[in-house]
Amino acid sequence: MSVVLLPAVLVIAVLVIRVGITELRSPGSARQQWRFLANGPAAGAGIFALLLTAGAGWFFSSAGVLFWGVLVGLLVAFIVDRSAQRP
């Protein structure tokens, strides 16, 4: 594994662990935390950001940037979902 990918893998692992811990403390909370993936526009924006990041990274670097693309896609989907909930 490349040194460049290590931070992305660590962040993904931390997010999964965080969801697991909150699920143990409050059953059903994981579904609430990940509900932004069921929001169509948010998921679409996240997939677009993932493809754009991974595509550009693959062109300029290597296929290993897929982890970074996943992180970017999740963050964009989360932000779009949260901003749509505000009045």
Side-chain angles (χ1 to χ4, degrees):
M1 180 178 297
S2 174
V3 175
V4 176
L5 295 179
L6 189 58
V9 172
L10 287 174
V11 170
I12 291 171
V14 166
L15 289 174
V16 170
I17 291 169
R18 179 179 165 252
V19 169
I21 289 172
T22 55
E23 180 67 19
L24 286 174
R25 290 182 181 164
S26 173
S29 64
R31 190 173 307 143
Q32 291 175 351
Q33 289 181 4
W34 291 98
R35 70 165 188 247
F36 66 92
L37 294 176
N39 182 344
I47 290 171
F48 178 73
L50 179 140
L51 293 175
L52 191 63
T53 303
W58 195 327
F59 180 73
F60 291 113
S61 180
S62 67
V65 298
L66 184 62
F67 288 110
W68 287 108
V70 168
L71 282 174
V72 169
L74 288 173
L75 179 62
V76 167
F78 183 78
I79 290 171
V80 168
D81 181 63
R82 294 294 184 232
S83 65
Q85 291 177 1
R86 292 187 184 153

